Each structure stands twice: as C-alpha cells, then as structure tokens.
Amino acid sequence: MAHSPSFRGLRKGFIGLGAAAVLCSAVPARADAPVIIRDTEIEKDIKGWVEPVMRAGGLDPNNVHIIIVESPEVNSFVAGGPNIFIYTGLIEKTDNASEIIGVLAHEMGHIRGGHLIRMQGAMKDASYESLLGTILGIGAAIASHNGGAAGAISIGSQTSAMGSLLAFSRIQEASADQSALTTLQEACISPKGLVSFMKKIGADEPLLYSQQDAWGRTHPLTQERVDAMQAGYDRSPCKDKPLSAETDDQYRRMMAKLKAFIAPERVAWDFSDSDHSVPAAYARAIAAYRQNKVHDALRDIDALLEREPKNPYFLELKGQMLVDFGHVEEALPAYRQSIDILHNAPLIRMAYANAMIETSDRDKGRLDEAIKQLETAQRDEQRSGYIDHLLATAWGRKGNESMAKLYLAEEALLGGQKKYAKEQAQAALHGLKAGTQPYLRAQDIISFVDQNKKDGSKDGEKKG
C-alpha cells in the first residue's frame, strides 16, 4: 500500500498499504482524521468489479476514480468530479463484494445525475489529499456557519461536519437508487448487495444522529426507498446470478489485507491457526511486517511466493518489507519483477523508483531509470504530488537544480501551495532553456497562479 518516502507501515497522517505514494498535509493532523491510502491490488480489484456497471451507465472507467480513505467511519461520497471516496469503515461493514458493488453503483448514480460536490479553481486538479482536506474543512464551515471553521477542523468531528455538505435530497437519493438498479441490471449483476447494504444502514436510522453511521446520515433512507430497491431486486433477471469465484477470492484477500494493515493485532483473533488459506497467510505476513517481526514477515512472504510465484502484489509486498527493514538494495529485484508482470501499476513504479533513488550512491545510472519509471507512472497518476517529489529528488541528485525546482513547483501546486509553487517555478526558469517543454511548464505555473490570484478565486466546493 501507499507510503511516504520513509514509510514504516500504515500510520496516521502518512499511511500506506503496499505501494509508494505520499500523503500531503492537506488533511488535518489529528489522530483520528481520515487520510487517503493507496493500494494497487485493492484499487484494481474494486475497479474491476464495477467497470461493467460504469460502462452500462455510460461512464468511462478511465475517468472515474475510486479513492480509499482510512477511517473507521462508514461513509462514501462523490466530490470534485467523478471521484468516489470510500472509507475503510464502510468496506469493513460489508459482508461480500456484492455490497461494495451496490454502494459504488449508487454513488455512480449521483455522478450520472450530476449530484456532485464540485471543486472550484485550482482544486479541480488538486491531489486527492488536498481535495479531501478541503471537503472536510468546507464541511466544518457549513455546519458551524463560520467560514473560519475550515482552519479549525481538527477540533471537531470531521464526518459530522461534512453532513450538511454531502447530504442529498430525497429526490436525488431515489434517482441514484434507480440509476444503480438500472445499471446493475444492464450489466447483469445482481442488486442483492445494494439491497442488503441499504437495509443494514436502514437498521441504524432509529439511533440518535450522533450514533448513526456517516453513510446513513449523508444518504438518509426512507421506507419508500427500501421498498423500491427491493422491488428492483425482485424483478431483476440477474438477481440470482452469483459473483465469480475470482471476485469472492479477491474480496477475501482485500479484507485480510485491510485488517492486517489497519489492526495487525487483530489478525491472531480473526484467523485461526488451522486456517491455511491464502487470505489468512496474507494477513499473517502483513501483521508480522506491521509489528516489525522481520524474520517472520520475510518467511511468510516467501511462503506465499512459493504458492504464487508470479503474484505481483506478493512481490510488491516483499519489496516494501525489504525497504522498510533496511534492505533497500535487495528490494529492487522484487519491485522489478512486480512491474514486469503488472505493467499498469504506477504506484509500484513509484516504490521501485524510490528504492532506486535511495540506492543511487551505488549506481548513478539508477537515477535515470528512476526518472523514466516516474515519468511512466505520471501518465496514470496525474494527481500525485509524490511523483513530483521523487522527480525533484532524482533531478537534484543528478545536479540539475532547475529541473528539481520545477518539480517542487508541480508538487506545491497539487498541494494548494500556490505562492511556493510560483517561487519555485520562477527559480527554475533561470536554468531552463527558453522554449523547451520544462521552461514552458514553469511559465504556465506562474501564469496560472497569477491568474488565479487576479480572479480572486478561492478553492472550495458547492453542491451541484
């Protein structure tokens, strides 16, 4: 999962589950503040489950992004365009992949219906971390009727503050429900999970507002909605169609992975010694790694690789373990094998590049390879400030300060630090050749910041 340059397991503030990515400081630094995590395996599996639903709804899977947020809250929402934020608390509340598919089908209904929290100004292209931080801050301001609350979000409950921002009307909710039922039917996927999850959330409605799950507060249910979804399930020609065995296996592995990274101490309780399944073995390997049991972690990941030697995610995890246990040089082959198997894996390329940069004192040629890997990753990860951070580091170690400053400017712009972005872009111009792509990009950053300031635009959201 994703990690900072010095990642040591899944943590608050900087958090990770298995491939390299940095979390910026846009999200408030509070012990229980929601933060974004990245994991190639989980993201690819969930995206694979819902791609048929996206296509059935006329959405381009390449343009819809599913962002996982580490938080015990049960929540999901759409913001800043076709971006679906789904909390680990919601994932852990599900009993099967069908329920996750149902929730995402509902959120895609909001996308199709244009019920979006749209980001203004520079935030529309900001990193997901900045986007989430802005949503939390604006939610606090709206809830308190105080525009200054955005800067004090760490004092209160972020999820409660988001309620008035994220809540949809009954008409919009019913519309999203029907859209979900329609697209699930067109994709010939049973709506069973949609109905079962909605009923699960509906059971919490009699509770006090403060005790309800966040998803129930921001997506209020009515009996009419539940009845309509049940009717949709009853008439679905695919209602009894089971999910594939592969999907069920992916779900079990995902749940094992999340549990082990978020709460490694629970693994011994959740998986009995007699359970020798791959998900159980996966969880034990991750738990040993998270608890810094070096020998056990490496032994367990090697045992998994004996069972599935071409599994790119096991190879990625071994690379991550070796890096965090201080054996960075030994991690390179594992990362290399992983991306050779899984070509479209920008997060793993970032981890590989980071390891090459860290060991570049032994082989300067690794800096060129790291830059190549990062530029490839950036084609698929355009909102990642960490790629720019690593590129700045690599160019700096090569002695090219102008290119380093350009990428520092790019990183700052994604993080919403416009003043610093302009300063770094201006400094970069002095050493860049006029008319080249880097020179023009530096000029673009300066112009963008100046125009943004001239227009008096402010980053924020509004309901669509």
Side-chain angles (χ1 to χ4, degrees):
M1 292 192 181
H3 58 78
S4 73
S6 57
F7 172 71
R8 291 295 179 269
L10 183 137
R11 292 180 175 177
K12 302 293 182 181
F14 288 92
I15 204 165
L17 302 182
V22 74
L23 303 183
C24 71
S25 58
V27 180
R30 176 185 160 178
D32 61 348
V35 289
I36 289 172
I37 59 177
R38 303 297 308 276
D39 181 76
T40 301
E41 181 178 21
I42 294 175
E43 290 177 6
K44 280 186 174 293
D45 286 348
I46 293 179
K47 192 75 171 284
W49 302 343
V50 297
E51 273 197 10
V53 185
M54 293 179 186
R55 297 187 188 282
L59 300 175
D60 183 352
N62 293 322
N63 293 333
V64 179
H65 307 286
I66 299 171
I67 302 101
I68 302 168
V69 181
E70 198 285 316
S71 170
E73 290 280 2
V74 178
N75 203 5
S76 67
F77 55 87
V78 177
N83 305 308
I84 302 174
F85 291 78
I86 182 168
Y87 283 34
T88 55
L90 186 150
I91 294 174
E92 291 182 332
K93 195 178 182 74
T94 65
D95 294 313
N96 48 60
S98 180
E99 292 190 336
I100 294 177
I101 294 170
V103 169
L104 293 177
H106 174 90
E107 298 296 355
M108 283 184 267
H110 285 306
I111 294 175
R112 294 182 70 203
H115 316 149
L116 305 179
I117 301 164
R118 295 189 175 92
M119 314 303 291
Q120 298 175 344
M123 287 306 296
K124 69 179 182 179
D125 295 317
S127 68
Y128 295 127
E129 292 82 13
S130 294
L131 224 165
L132 177 63
T134 301
I135 291 167
L136 293 173
I138 296 297
I142 292 174
S144 65
H145 306 289
N146 175 10
I153 184 63
S154 62
I155 297 173
S157 170
Q158 294 94 338
T159 307
S160 297
M162 292 165 66
S164 59
L165 175 69
L166 299 175
F168 292 112
S169 70
R170 290 185 179 185
I171 293 175
Q172 289 173 325
E173 288 296 338
S175 171
D177 293 341
Q178 289 304 310
S179 176
L181 289 167
T182 298
T183 52
L184 286 167
Q185 179 170 316
E186 291 179 3
C188 200
I189 295 175
S190 173
K192 182 178 182 179
L194 172 66
V195 177
S196 63
F197 190 84
M198 291 293 191
K199 288 182 176 179
K200 195 182 298 183
I201 293 296
D204 292 337
E205 283 209 315
L207 298 175
L208 294 174
Y209 180 88
S210 62
Q211 295 175 303
Q212 292 175 345
D213 285 328
W215 207 88
R217 296 197 298 266
T218 57
H219 299 68
L221 282 168
T222 62
Q223 189 58 48
E224 290 80 7
R225 284 183 62 203
V226 174
D227 291 343
M229 282 184 281
Q230 182 64 54
Y233 167 76
D234 291 339
R235 65 174 177 266
S236 172
C238 301
K239 65 181 180 180
D240 296 321
K241 181 181 178 182
L243 295 175
S244 68
E246 180 184 17
T247 296
D248 289 338
D249 181 56
Q250 289 171 345
Y251 176 81
R252 289 193 297 272
R253 293 186 187 208
M254 176 186 73
M255 297 303 287
K257 193 173 196 178
L258 284 173
K259 287 179 181 179
F261 266 105
I262 294 172
E265 69 281 356
R266 285 171 38 192
V267 168
W269 297 95
D270 292 342
F271 299 91
S272 68
D273 293 339
S274 60
D275 187 347
H276 301 295
S277 66
V278 169
Y282 206 5
R284 292 189 195 101
I286 294 168
Y289 158 57
R290 289 279 289 109
Q291 294 170 319
N292 206 34
K293 298 177 181 178
V294 179
H295 176 268
D296 291 349
L298 293 175
R299 176 201 63 204
D300 291 348
I301 191 61
D302 283 340
L304 280 167
L305 282 166
E306 284 184 12
R307 296 170 74 167
E308 298 181 15
K310 298 297 184 181
N311 186 311
Y313 309 117
F314 293 168
L315 288 163
E316 173 199 18
L317 179 58
K318 181 173 183 178
Q320 182 177 342
M321 287 180 179
L322 289 167
V323 167
D324 291 338
F325 290 150
H327 304 290
V328 185
E329 184 85 20
E330 296 173 37
L332 296 177
Y335 280 135
R336 178 77 251 180
Q337 290 177 61
S338 180
I339 61 174
D340 283 345
I341 295 167
L342 195 67
H343 301 297
N344 183 21
L347 300 179
I348 304 177
R349 289 186 187 276
M350 291 155 66
Y352 181 42
N354 182 55
M356 284 190 288
I357 292 170
E358 287 192 24
T359 59
S360 60
D361 57 329
R362 303 179 189 181
D363 182 355
K364 293 297 183 182
R366 289 176 182 172
L367 291 172
D368 292 327
E369 178 62 18
I371 290 170
K372 177 182 176 182
Q373 293 293 335
L374 291 166
E375 289 175 343
T376 300
Q378 200 164 44
R379 291 199 286 267
D380 298 309
E381 281 288 322
Q382 297 179 5
R383 286 179 182 258
S384 174
Y386 186 44
I387 294 181
D388 293 311
H389 178 86
L390 289 175
L391 281 165
T393 303
W395 280 109
R397 291 196 180 188
K398 281 175 64 68
N400 192 326
E401 292 299 319
S402 294
M403 287 297 292
K405 290 180 184 297
L406 173 61
Y407 282 109
L408 287 175
E410 297 275 16
E411 180 189 16
L413 194 62
L414 281 170
Q417 299 173 297
K418 293 186 282 292
K419 180 180 178 181
Y420 183 71
K422 180 180 177 179
E423 290 173 353
Q424 292 301 308
Q426 288 175 325
L429 281 177
H430 296 301
L432 297 173
K433 184 177 180 180
T436 62
Q437 192 277 333
Y439 184 91
L440 295 175
R441 179 54 189 155
Q443 286 188 319
D444 286 344
I445 293 172
I446 296 168
S447 297
F448 177 82
V449 174
D450 287 343
Q451 187 63 45
N452 192 258
K453 183 177 180 180
K454 179 180 177 182
D455 292 343
S457 60
K458 296 181 180 179
D459 297 335
E461 314 88 359
K462 63 180 179 179
K463 284 188 180 181

